[in-house]
Amino acid sequence: MALEILQIPCLSDNYGYLIRDGETGETAAIDTPDVNAINQALGETGWTLTYIFNTHHHWDHAGGNLALKEQWSCEIIGPKAEADRIPGLDRAVGQDDVVMLGKSSAIIYDTPGHTSGHIVYHFEEDGAAFVGDTIFAMGCGRLFEGTPAQMWASLSKIASMPKATKLYCAHEYTQANAAFALSVDPHNEALKKRAAEVDQLRAAGTPTVPTDVARELATNPFLRAEDKGLQAALELVGSDPVEVFAETRRRKDNF
Ligand code: ZN
Ligand code: FE
């Protein structure tokens, strides 16, 4: 039985997730942005919280750890490189470690950049990746603790996943990201089409997350540093992709 995934809007623009292995009933919260919203979802589904899987230490991802742990006695798994900053951490994991949820399994990718120890959970067999604040629909996380070279390498790991992989991002930033993407990649037809679709979805209050790898490769400027059109728009034709990525990120910070 496949992984069941429940998306939970939290705070102003976060998404929390509950995931459940259908065979064993083991359930994990991906990050803990809002204890009440997560508990409400658990109440409605009747699921029992077995684990918290943290992506990084920011309060809107790990802030609910201790309250949920006290209530559910769940085991908290999180990034090794941020072990001292994850409240209640029981098990620290890093690149290529495997985390089991019942009979489902996730491979861990280290994706430093947004924070120094950020990790991603890739459920390969289920075609799903929980990417925290590393990649967003048409965007990526701000570089609070990492370098452009680190973030480019982290995004490249996500870009290398199978094209149909669904990317479960931690924020609904899509509409603002699309506006920026159009400013640096104005001749990208796939991007124009998607931006219009996103406007429609948001006008109807519909989430634009999850996205998928194929869609991001076609429209996300932070994955397209090797694209000639994007390079031309930034006047960086032939430049190193890290340099193109860094310039794109710098422009987004000032957009
Ligand atoms: Zn964050
Ligand atoms: Fe966040």
Side-chain angles (χ1 to χ4, degrees), residues 87-162:
L89 185 71
D90 294 298
R91 197 191 332 159
V93 295
Q95 182 69 39
D96 296 330
D97 283 340
V98 174
V99 169
M100 300 299 296
L101 177 69
K103 304 235 163 118
S104 304
S105 65
I107 296 191
I108 303 300
Y109 294 60
D110 284 335
T111 59
H114 177 67
T115 60
S116 59
H118 196 296
I119 58 173
V120 159
Y121 297 79
H122 183 199
F123 288 83
E124 242 174 336
E125 278 178 35
D126 298 279
F130 296 89
V131 295
D133 288 354
T134 294
I135 191 168
F136 300 120
M138 292 179 274
C140 76
R142 270 180 190 266
L143 303 186
F144 287 119
E145 299 175 9
T147 64
Q150 281 179 319
M151 190 58 144
W152 174 251
S154 296
L155 290 169
S156 298
K157 291 180 184 176
I158 294 170
S160 303
M161 292 174 184

Side-chain angles (χ1 to χ4, degrees), residues 14 56 60-61 133 171:
N14 279 77
H56 65 296
D60 62 320
H61 299 262
D133 288 354
H171 290 271

